[in-house]
Amino acid sequence: MEFSKICVLGLGYIGLPTASTFATHGLQVVGVDINTKVLETLRSGELHIHEPGLRTLVNAALGSRNLTISDTPEAADAFIIAVPTPFDNDKHADLNAVKAAGRAIVPHLQPSNLVVLESTSPPRTTRDVLAPILEESGLKAGVDFLLAYSPERVLPGKILHELIENARVVGGIDQASTEAGRKLYQTFVRGEIVLSDATTAEMVKLMENTYRDVNIAVANEFAKLGERFEIDIWEAIEIANRHPRVAILQPGPGVGGHCIGVDPWFLVEAAPDVTHLVKTARQVNDSQPGHVVNLVKNALGAPSSLAKMKIAVLGLSYKANVDDLRESPAIEVAQLLVEAGAQVSAYEPYKLDAEIPGVRATTSIAEAVEDAELLLMLVKHKAFLELNPNELAEQTPARIAVDTVNGWPMHPWHAAGFKIYKLGVGNSNAN
Ligand code: SAJ
């Protein structure tokens, strides 16, 4: 089958780059979003999301006239669903956007069309949730139209590169759907396209992020053991990772973003009786912000309260060198400090206007640290790694620093007069 026109439903972090990439590779693409603000922003030549290179790509796609944007789908050869699947307060997957996208496709679905779900979804969503909705068209999945699942697996900050170069799994509800999916993504994917079935492809995506979450959880427990046994866990992990079959990830203030902290819950919800480890890992990682607050107390001599303590927080984003604040553990730490009575100033170089209740946002490191008693690094931003402790010592009265990401080497900071407390490192190393 040939694809000349496609509809991409959802113009967010995945849908917009995907729609634009198809368009710059010669397909006619209708990008659909139900959020009129998103459409207005795109039509005015602006972007509602930040991703290196995305503005140039979207401009090229719109400029070629291959990409048009709309609030409703229209007839096409293929439909790609790339809408959010968040979780609700009970940690249950919220599939309303996927269902709504399916229903929006129904009036336009024609025999031999392909529908691909890209949104991260609990196992069997393509078969058990999406197929019945699409069949309200009167057409039968696997008989009259093709249906597949193909997850996005790109890393925020590297989306445009990884979209094209990563291996991609395509799983159809039958052989013909799988083949059609391969043909569609071959338009631009240079990485290997691995063929499977829909439910396996759904599991692959969830397993990747769950594996990473569990690995980070064990690193976070190792960090607590490092503190208990007065060693440097960063050094221990580095040495352990020289073993050819060991690859431990890095401990830190917690796991943020909208993927790794969310996706494992889809497995726990789908099969709670067989996912004890997955659930425990989530709980371990979710407990890290509270652990960081304990480290701060400890560094200050374990006061019973942090009332009026002046703390300068460095970094608020969910990971290094991005401006994305969604589900950021750094924000949770800042909030816990405020709740404990501390006076918190924060500097986030990628988002100077970050608004967190009770936290004083600052536009420079100098402003954040000017009257601080303690410096707390929560994100391994390049700018923080390059700080010169001697220069910093002149800008702040603080002589205590807490490093949760192993960004500051002990020696130069000690030499500049700072006590350094590190997550994962015994206190005896602080001086
Ligand atoms: N983190 C650690 N220690 C580490 C690595 C990460 O604490 O060693 C923390 C980060 O600081 C961050 C969180 O984990 O708070 C997640 O960051 P990340 O860089 O691991 O992942 P994401 O959420 O930006 O992107 C992930 C990627 N998945 C994998 O690498 C398996 C990406 O490929 C997926 O496409 C994306 O989730 C997604 O959309 O699912």
Side-chain angles (χ1 to χ4, degrees):
M1 94 168 287
E2 293 300 322
F3 297 101
S4 56
K5 179 176 175 187
I6 66 169
C7 262
V8 177
L9 288 87
L11 295 178
Y13 276 88
I14 300 305
L16 184 59
T18 303
S20 306
T21 304
F22 272 115
T24 54
H25 284 73
L27 266 62
Q28 288 295 318
V29 182
V30 183
V32 180
D33 206 292
I34 54 163
N35 185 337
T36 43
K37 231 175 134 195
V38 166
L39 298 178
E40 277 165 23
T41 308
L42 289 170
R43 284 194 181 115
S44 69
E46 297 296 319
L47 288 190
H48 56 296
I49 49 182
H50 297 276
E51 176 64 26
L54 187 57
R55 179 181 287 266
T56 312
L57 176 68
V58 173
N59 284 344
L62 290 169
S64 71
R65 298 187 186 276
N66 281 350
L67 175 64
T68 53
I69 50 177
S70 171
D71 59 357
T72 44
E74 50 190 79
D77 303 315
F79 298 86
I80 294 177
I81 300 175
V83 296
T85 47
F87 63 165
D88 59 25
N89 290 340
D90 300 330
K91 317 270 190 211
H92 290 149
D94 176 351
L95 293 178
N96 283 322
V98 172
K99 291 178 187 168
R103 282 193 290 269
I105 292 170
V106 167
H108 309 283
L109 195 65
Q110 291 166 359
S112 82
N113 278 172
L114 168 67
V115 180
V116 183
L117 177 61
E118 286 200 10
S119 312
T120 306
S121 302
R124 297 199 64 87
T125 299
T126 307
R127 284 177 185 281
D128 295 350
V129 179
L130 186 56
I133 290 174
L134 295 170
E135 287 178 347
E136 286 168 19
S137 62
L139 302 175
K140 197 145 178 46
V143 177
D144 304 312
F145 69 94
L146 304 153
L147 178 60
Y149 182 79
S150 182
E152 55 76 16
R153 298 144 96 198
V154 291
L155 195 71
K158 288 190 184 170
I159 291 180
L160 301 195
H161 173 80
E162 293 204 349
L163 198 59
I164 290 174
E165 302 297 338
N166 281 6
R168 176 153 206 141
V169 56
V170 177
I173 59 158
D174 59 8
Q175 196 60 37
S177 299
T178 308
E179 259 309 310
R182 182 182 61 79
K183 190 121 201 256
L184 177 62
Y185 287 102
Q186 253 178 1
T187 308
F188 65 79
V189 171
R190 281 207 290 259
E192 189 183 354
I193 299 182
V194 187
L195 305 184
S196 185
D197 65 88
T199 309
T200 303
E202 289 164 347
M203 276 296 288
V204 165
K205 167 72 186 191
L206 296 171
M207 283 160 56
E208 290 166 353
N209 282 350
T210 300
Y211 166 77
R212 204 161 163 80
D213 197 43
V214 172
N215 191 333
I216 297 168
V218 83
N220 282 331
E221 277 200 350
F222 288 158
K224 288 173 186 158
L225 293 170
E227 291 156 18
R228 175 81 51 93
F229 298 121
E230 292 284 344
I231 62 157
D232 180 336
I233 209 66
W234 306 89
E235 179 194 355
I237 289 175
E238 198 269 319
I239 299 170
N241 281 349
R242 293 186 195 194
H243 186 288
R245 287 176 296 283
V246 174
I248 304 163
L249 286 169
Q250 303 287 287
V255 167
H258 45 287
C259 308
I260 294 189
V262 176
D263 299 357
W265 288 115
F266 291 4
L267 293 177
V268 175
E269 174 190 0
D273 54 324
V274 290
T275 46
H276 302 295
L277 173 65
V278 175
K279 184 175 179 181
T280 303
R282 276 286 62 249
Q283 289 165 337
V284 167
N285 289 335
D286 279 350
S287 74
Q288 284 302 104
H291 181 64
V292 171
V293 172
N294 287 338
L295 288 179
V296 167
K297 283 190 176 170
N298 188 33
L300 288 167
S304 53
S305 140
L306 290 176
K308 305 253 179 308
M309 292 290 182
K310 295 187 177 116
I311 298 174
V313 161
L314 302 185
L316 291 171
S317 63
Y318 87 91
K319 67 175 184 178
N321 306 320
V322 300
D323 69 349
D324 195 336
L325 303 184
R326 287 179 293 175
E327 313 295 332
S328 172
I331 291 183
E332 202 181 329
V333 172
Q335 282 169 334
L336 290 174
L337 292 171
V338 170
E339 276 166 31
Q343 293 179 6
V344 180
S345 58
Y347 174 58
E348 171 44 68
Y350 292 86
K351 209 154 192 116
L352 297 176
D353 56 354
E355 272 180 38
I356 299 157
V359 174
R360 184 171 66 98
T362 63
T363 54
S364 68
I365 290 194
E367 190 189 346
V369 304
E370 64 192 1
D371 59 356
E373 291 163 83
L374 181 142
L375 313 180
L376 173 60
M377 175 159 56
L378 295 174
V379 187
K380 211 171 179 177
H381 287 318
K382 196 163 169 279
F384 301 153
L385 305 186
E386 289 166 354
L387 281 174
N388 177 329
N390 291 309
E391 285 171 14
L392 199 66
E394 286 172 18
Q395 295 173 330
T396 180
R399 288 297 174 266
I400 302 174
V402 176
D403 172 2
T404 64
V405 290
N406 195 30
W408 292 331
M410 296 278 193
H411 183 67
W413 284 74
H414 288 161
F418 287 96
K419 277 188 174 185
I420 287 256
Y421 293 85
K422 279 197 190 194
L423 181 135
V425 180
N427 273 342
S428 56
N429 296 294
N431 293 296

